Amino acid sequence: MLMYIGNGHYCYSNSTTMFLSSIGENVSPQLVEVLTGVGLGAMLENEKTLFFSMRDPDDGINYALNILGFAAEEHQQASYLDDPCTFLKKQMKQNPVILGPLDMGELTYHPNHKNLNGADHYVLGYQMDNENIYVHDPAGIPYVPLALDQFRKAWMAENIPYRKGYYKYWSSPKKVVPLDKNEVYERAINYFQRTYLEIEEADIGLTGREAICYYANQLQNGPITAEIIGHTTFFLFQLGARRANDYAIFFKDRHTNLSTLKTNQAKVLGVCHSMSVNNDWLGLSKELRKLAEIEENFRLELLKIGR
């Protein structure tokens, strides 16, 4: 029996946990989420939309697997013209596969799919026949079929900005390096430090404290668009608080200062969510400035480790 784990916002982490469980490995989605590094830092996309993130989820899957001592075959195509389903079907006869990014707007089994065009998503594919693919969708939908023609539309991910190629998936998981908890932790710290330094060197625009403060100014001065309301109310703060809490637990027994900063960050993010739901945009902008200082303090504390 294949394990099902569900949480829509942690779709790639839950899919990775299910993927590893297929070879008898028990790794929590909370740990996978932390080790992807996706929830580290902050950045401004297109000079208007704030994300508490500095890594793309597909890259994060690879980093998490590596940190944990696992390997998997990563597949993607340069063109959408070649049909990948024949080979994919063979792969799934050996083990389930992680599929993504997918465009949620094309996942017609999802009750709200018409309002989710361009939203990225990851699922675990476990079976395919001549008409359907069958997936465990972490958004609370296990054992669901999707017609292959519709699946290909979602899998092309044409509206996902960070898409790299077409029809991306991971297959054939295996353990390559046995690691204890201390070794995993040390690898993770090194990766987190590299993430901050690489993003800063890449000069991709506003990140960290500056990005959060810029967004706070936007909310203070308006206008508050439907896009902003949707982003802050249904995604940004609730996901950020959960991620920060998971990082706090991860750091708890080894770096107390980092854990405390992440706990404080989670608490402020929870307040931000409540203010967003209640349309307190001035109060929210003030809380974001507190968050900006916590983020900068976390960054400085992290980069001091081992130096």
Side-chain angles (χ1 to χ4, degrees), residues 181-189 250-251 254-255 258:
K181 291 182 179 180
N182 289 330
E183 290 170 315
V184 169
Y185 188 85
E186 289 172 5
R187 283 183 167 206
I189 291 294
F250 181 74
F251 293 126
R254 292 178 175 86
H255 288 98
L258 291 179

Side-chain angles (χ1 to χ4, degrees), residues 185 189 243-267 294 297-298 301-302 305:
Y185 188 85
I189 291 294
R243 282 172 169 166
N245 190 65
D246 286 340
Y247 276 106
I249 293 169
F250 181 74
F251 293 126
K252 180 175 179 291
D253 295 329
R254 292 178 175 86
H255 288 98
T256 305
N257 289 346
L258 291 179
S259 181
T260 299
L261 286 165
K262 278 296 175 183
T263 298
N264 292 341
Q265 194 175 61
K267 291 177 178 178
I294 297 172
N297 289 336
F298 174 82
E301 190 71 23
L302 174 68
I305 297 174

Side-chain angles (χ1 to χ4, degrees), residues 183-238:
E183 290 170 315
V184 169
Y185 188 85
E186 289 172 5
R187 283 183 167 206
I189 291 294
N190 181 266
Y191 166 54
F192 299 160
Q193 291 174 330
R194 291 199 326 268
T195 295
Y196 272 93
L197 294 174
E198 287 172 7
I199 295 300
E200 289 166 11
E201 291 173 2
D203 192 25
I204 60 172
L206 294 180
T207 60
R209 177 171 56 187
E210 289 75 18
I212 299 171
C213 287
Y214 184 94
Y215 199 68
N217 289 334
Q218 280 188 309
L219 296 182
Q220 181 176 343
N221 299 318
I224 305 300
T225 65
E227 182 180 2
I228 288 174
I229 293 172
H231 182 62
T232 59
T233 302
F234 293 99
F235 178 78
L236 182 64
F237 298 124
Q238 56 182 270

Side-chain angles (χ1 to χ4, degrees), residues 4 11 44 55 57-58 62 79 93 111 127 132 149-150 169 171-172 193 231 273 278:
Y4 173 77
C11 58
L44 204 66
R55 292 284 191 193
D58 54 346
N62 291 328
S79 169
K93 288 180 179 179
Q127 186 179 331
N132 297 300
D149 286 347
Q150 191 63 38
Y169 70 101
S171 67
S172 307
Q193 291 174 330
H231 182 62
H273 173 74
N278 290 283

Side-chain angles (χ1 to χ4, degrees), residues 47 49-50 63 67 74 80-81 138 165 175 217 254 266 270 273 291:
E47 298 185 355
T49 305
L50 182 67
Y63 282 115
I67 290 169
E74 184 181 2
Y80 66 88
L81 297 175
K175 187 80 170 181
N217 289 334
R254 292 178 175 86
H273 173 74
L291 190 70

Side-chain angles (χ1 to χ4, degrees), residues 58-69:
D58 54 346
D59 293 331
I61 289 172
N62 291 328
Y63 282 115
L65 290 172
N66 178 263
I67 290 169
L68 289 164

